[in-house]
Amino acid sequence: MSGMNAENGAERAANNKNVSLPMSRVKLIMKSSPDVSCINQDALFLTTKATELFVQHLALSSYNNGSGKQKNTLSYSDLAGTAEDTETFQFLTDILPKKILARDYLKSLEEMEEDDDN
């Protein structure tokens, strides 16, 4: 019995080395769903790894499509632009909206109200 536990512990330690995101945080986020009662360690590892790969893909796409190549940086506007311009990431447009100035937003609200009145 103790041999199996040692193998599982060694396997978990090896899995933790293969991911950059903290698995405890991913588990906390997963447990915040009312539909989740318990989380299998394999499911936790796979979810953590998939999340890590998704974030890497988003960052790389944003870097390549944005202004990051010239400045060697990645900015919020690069992420927002990728979310808006790339079909794969369009589900993120609510989470990563393009930034606009308050006066521009107020002006667009006034225009929308005028259109509604007409």
Side-chain angles (χ1 to χ4, degrees), residues 55-94:
V55 170
Q56 286 176 353
H57 181 61
L58 174 62
L60 186 61
S61 296
S62 299
Y63 179 81
N64 289 333
N65 296 334
S67 62
K69 282 190 170 182
Q70 291 97 17
K71 300 176 188 174
N72 201 21
T73 59
L74 182 63
S75 67
Y76 178 87
S77 60
D78 294 336
L79 292 168
T82 299
E84 189 172 296
D85 298 339
T86 308
E87 186 177 338
T88 307
F89 299 117
Q90 284 189 345
F91 71 97
L92 294 173
T93 54
D94 293 338

Side-chain angles (χ1 to χ4, degrees), residues 11-58:
E11 187 176 312
R12 283 188 200 136
N15 285 345
N16 285 338
K17 291 179 184 177
N18 293 332
V19 293
S20 298
L21 296 175
M23 290 176 62
S24 60
R25 294 287 174 109
V26 175
K27 185 175 185 177
L28 184 67
I29 293 168
M30 290 173 73
K31 284 203 165 227
S32 70
S33 172
D35 298 332
V36 175
S37 58
C38 65
I39 300 168
N40 183 326
Q41 286 298 313
D42 292 334
L44 176 62
F45 172 74
L46 291 174
T47 302
T48 304
K49 191 63 177 177
T51 303
E52 181 180 313
L53 293 173
F54 172 75
V55 170
Q56 286 176 353
H57 181 61
L58 174 62

